[in-house]
Amino acid sequence: MREGAPRPPDRPRWGVRIAAGLSVVVLGSGAVGHAVMTGLDTGIQRVDPFKDMKNRPQAGHGVNFLLVGTDGREKITKDEKREYRLGGAPCHCTDTVMLVHLSADRTRASVISLPRDSYVELPAHLDEAGGKQHGTHPVKLNAAYAEGGPHLTVRTVENMTRVKIDHYLEVDFTSFMQTVDAMGGVDICTAKTMRDPNTGLDLLPGTHRLNGGQALQYVRSRHVDGASDLGRMQRQQRFIAALIRQATRGGVLLNPVKFKEVSSTLLGSVRADKGFGSEQMLALGQAMRDFTPSSSEFASVPVGNPSFPVKGLGSTVKWDETKAAKLFEALREDRPLAPAPAPGRPVHKQPAVPVDVAPQQVRVQVENGTRIDGLGTRVDSALRATGFDTTRAPGTGSSREVKRTVITYDPRWDRSARTVSTALPGSEMRAVPGQGRTVVVLAGADYRKVVEVRAEDPHQGEFGVVTGDQVVCGT
């Protein structure tokens, strides 16, 4: 498909994978004292998802949370529903199911998204609504909550993953919006225009401070590109990383008054198991005072068939059983999911600037437009170091008096050219019809350095993992 060509639309789906945002407050609460935490337990609605559960998986190392997001919107005003396109009746089901694993040494959080349309076999259970006994039967994952609430949801996830759940947390639309507002908004950056007529999302390229309603539009949107749920999960991962960054950098965790406001706002509509409260929050927070976006890693369950047909259910998402088993084994054994950094690569560094096209996909020819010896070689090497597919054979430009670096490109590959331009700030772009896919850089006397860039969704490794510091804004 030609760059910039429109992709076919996909059907809308209400909902938001918002539950992982709760972990930000959970992890950071140690920055305040016990006095501030007093009374917060009273705002938590209690559930008992572990009642009478038998044959559970063996406990591993670390702590595992099941984070569930629902589409509850009862407390959202009519004006907010209209402005943020939240019409329609809620389904009272889960639209988000995530496993969050906190490592035993509290230096890492692994967040795994479980697609809501995952094909699952529900265990035998008693229908909470009608009291009818049901045998084992196939459903989509989000139906577990509709049929048996938190209890059946936990049983189903444990059966599928063999990961023992230690705590259950559930939040809704209202909790999400109010918590983002209490934090003062969250910064999101995008390398391309993002518009979704169903949610009302409308963002130009750049960095934006989103309030609660705008953030909900951002994480709900499915019509931004042709990636549908996969694209939405990637955006949600970027949002969670940004939320963590805001909590750690914005003073939320160090300001008792601000922390109390954020915590009270969120916990006012959260549902949690009886064993989770302020003492657990405080203990976790104290152990994770230095938690940063780079400490978090995000993945989705490996998928074998994204459109697995099931009679009576329609299209479901079938996991890749072999890869999924390896993923959850790593979780049980408390191992990092992300690949180890390459030798010599700094673990903590300024985030690279996100671009629409990965530099690895862009072919570049460098030419020296000055009389500075070796400039072409320096530019070629610097571009290659940040991932560009350079020719490694820099040439000499037709002019040797170029003051400002020029990027020439075929208009059919304009997105690739913008990636190069981002890496060479201040450069001039010139369209040359018929030039072909290779982008030509005519290095000028103004050249100083190449800015590191990265694909907006740099998933990597066996499980398609991305770390938080790779997806937050670079400023």
Side-chain angles (χ1 to χ4, degrees):
M1 182 180 291
R2 181 178 66 83
E3 287 187 334
R7 298 180 182 271
D10 204 347
R11 67 180 178 86
R13 179 186 294 145
W14 297 109
V16 54
R17 291 167 172 79
I18 58 175
L22 176 61
S23 62
V24 176
V25 176
V26 174
L27 303 185
S29 59
V32 297
H34 284 271
V36 175
M37 302 298 293
T38 301
L40 291 184
D41 284 0
T42 59
I44 303 177
Q45 300 178 50
R46 295 296 181 183
V47 295
D48 189 3
F50 309 119
K51 183 179 179 181
D52 299 327
M53 286 185 63
K54 301 176 181 178
N55 301 318
R56 301 186 66 191
Q58 184 177 355
H61 302 287
V63 181
N64 298 311
F65 291 79
L66 184 63
L67 303 177
V68 171
T70 70
D71 70 343
R73 60 194 80 178
E74 292 82 1
K75 298 180 182 179
I76 297 177
T77 67
K78 291 183 178 180
D79 289 342
E80 289 173 331
K81 288 182 178 179
R82 182 173 57 253
E83 182 176 359
Y84 303 122
R85 313 286 176 89
L86 294 171
C91 67
H92 302 295
C93 60
T94 60
D95 190 62
T96 302
V97 181
M98 287 183 174
L99 269 178
V100 173
H101 172 79
L102 305 181
S103 63
D105 61 7
R106 303 299 188 265
T107 62
R108 183 184 69 257
S110 304
V111 182
I112 301 178
S113 300
L114 311 182
R116 55 161 277 165
D117 287 340
S118 297
Y119 173 86
V120 303
E121 292 280 346
L122 279 190
H125 64 280
L126 186 68
D127 189 328
E128 285 194 345
K132 180 181 178 182
Q133 183 68 37
H134 294 277
T136 300
H137 61 282
V139 296
K140 295 181 180 180
L141 178 57
N142 67 329
Y145 187 94
E147 289 196 29
H151 184 266
L152 186 57
T153 302
V154 170
R155 285 184 63 196
T156 302
V157 172
E158 287 194 345
N159 284 353
M160 296 175 71
T161 65
R162 304 312 302 164
V163 173
K164 185 176 183 181
I165 307 301
D166 298 299
H167 293 293
Y168 174 90
L169 301 173
E170 178 186 317
V171 292
D172 60 16
F173 281 2
T174 303
S175 169
F176 178 84
M177 292 175 63
Q178 293 177 348
T179 301
V180 173
D181 284 337
M183 292 182 67
V186 174
D187 288 333
I188 288 294
C189 50
T190 176
K192 57 188 175 184
T193 298
M194 303 181 70
R195 291 193 176 97
D196 186 335
N198 288 279
T199 64
L201 179 71
D202 189 358
L203 298 179
L204 294 174
T207 300
H208 307 268
R209 173 61 65 95
L210 305 185
N211 64 24
Q214 294 167 330
L216 190 56
Q217 290 175 314
Y218 179 80
V219 297
R220 287 177 51 237
S221 291
R222 299 178 72 249
H223 293 262
V224 172
D225 48 38
S228 188
D229 275 344
L230 175 60
R232 182 166 64 168
M233 283 192 291
Q234 292 171 342
R235 285 186 289 279
Q236 290 156 359
Q237 290 169 353
R238 292 200 294 269
F239 182 84
I240 294 168
L243 198 65
I244 293 172
R245 190 186 197 203
Q246 175 70 7
T248 55
R249 288 193 176 187
V252 173
L253 307 182
L254 299 177
N255 184 327
V257 175
K258 189 68 175 177
F259 176 80
K260 179 78 171 184
E261 177 188 358
V262 172
S263 300
S264 298
T265 300
L266 189 145
L267 296 179
S269 56
V270 71
R271 299 215 303 167
D273 65 272
K274 297 178 180 179
F276 177 79
S278 59
E279 289 299 317
Q280 287 71 32
M281 291 174 65
L282 187 59
L284 286 172
Q286 288 173 336
M288 303 187 71
R289 288 188 297 269
D290 297 324
F291 194 81
T292 66
S294 63
S295 307
S296 58
E297 54 183 13
F298 303 88
S300 298
V301 176
V303 173
N305 185 347
S307 302
F308 181 67
V310 178
K311 185 177 180 180
L313 297 179
S315 180
T316 67
V317 176
K318 195 76 161 57
W319 294 1
D320 183 317
E321 295 183 4
T322 300
K323 290 184 178 180
K326 290 182 179 179
L327 174 67
F328 295 119
E329 180 183 17
L331 212 65
R332 289 191 298 270
E333 296 182 357
D334 202 23
R335 300 197 311 264
L337 305 179
R345 176 188 171 190
V347 177
H348 301 288
K349 62 178 180 177
Q350 182 71 12
V353 179
V355 289
D356 193 10
V357 178
Q360 291 80 4
Q361 300 176 14
V362 183
R363 184 67 168 172
V364 179
Q365 169 65 45
V366 177
E367 296 182 353
N368 187 352
T370 74
R371 300 183 186 278
I372 303 172
D373 290 341
L375 179 61
T377 300
R378 285 165 46 205
V379 176
D380 182 280
S381 298
L383 288 170
R384 190 167 64 252
T386 197
F388 287 96
D389 179 22
T390 68
T391 64
R392 305 192 182 203
T396 301
S398 57
S399 171
R400 305 298 299 275
E401 305 297 334
V402 176
K403 298 185 182 303
R404 181 184 178 189
T405 298
V406 176
I407 297 171
T408 63
Y409 64 97
D410 190 311
R412 294 177 298 171
W413 281 272
D414 60 324
R415 291 167 55 218
S416 293
R418 286 196 294 271
T419 290
V420 179
S421 178
T422 300
L424 294 167
S427 57
E428 176 186 349
M429 295 180 62
R430 294 179 187 172
V432 180
Q435 178 172 293
R437 69 178 291 261
T438 300
V439 177
V440 177
V441 173
L442 184 60
D446 65 335
Y447 171 77
R448 294 295 179 269
K449 67 175 182 178
V450 168
V451 173
E452 186 172 1
V453 296
R454 59 161 173 82
E456 200 156 29
D457 299 298
H459 291 71
Q460 58 178 310
E462 181 180 9
F463 305 125
V465 180
V466 63
T467 54
D469 60 317
Q470 292 175 310
V471 294
V472 295
C473 301
T475 57

